[in-house]
Amino acid sequence: MTARNCSPVPERGRRAVLPHVPMRPLWLCRVCAAPWPCQPARLLLLLDYRRDRVALSIHMAGCLFDATADLLRTNPNPADLFDRFIGWTARL
């Protein structure tokens, strides 16, 4: 079983794979500290959901729902959140 949404492990280090998952309530990536979904997380999500893009959109809509409750106080513009969580899935 492979870990979902994880970075590949470099050959030289053989360290544990770190998942690009959000750190709540800030919704920053636990690995790279970029706003989640960061670029590596997006690529890995696309790989995970490559056969079902509708499921990817549904998953990201659930993340948007959770993030809205956490981030609306600091980011009062929901359009920004929509683009961050769901808008990128339709542009591919």
Side-chain angles (χ1 to χ4, degrees):
M1 175 184 234
T2 61
R4 293 178 63 116
N5 203 14
C6 298
S7 296
V9 178
E11 287 295 320
R12 64 180 182 267
R14 293 280 182 197
R15 295 172 291 195
V17 175
L18 299 174
H20 285 264
V21 294
M23 177 177 44
R24 292 182 67 182
L26 301 175
W27 288 87
L28 299 175
C29 178
R30 289 187 183 274
V31 175
C32 60
W36 193 90
C38 58
Q39 190 60 38
R42 290 178 182 192
L43 290 173
L44 293 164
L45 284 162
L46 284 171
L47 285 173
D48 288 343
Y49 288 94
R50 67 185 166 272
R51 296 176 193 241
D52 193 353
R53 297 294 291 276
V54 172
L56 172 61
S57 295
I58 292 169
H59 171 71
M60 293 309 297
C63 293
L64 172 62
F65 180 81
D66 293 340
T68 301
D70 293 338
L71 296 175
L72 202 53
R73 289 179 296 258
T74 60
N75 185 1
N77 187 355
D80 291 343
L81 294 178
F82 179 85
D83 289 340
R84 178 175 161 184
F85 284 89
I86 297 176
W88 67 272
T89 63
R91 287 187 287 249
L92 302 170

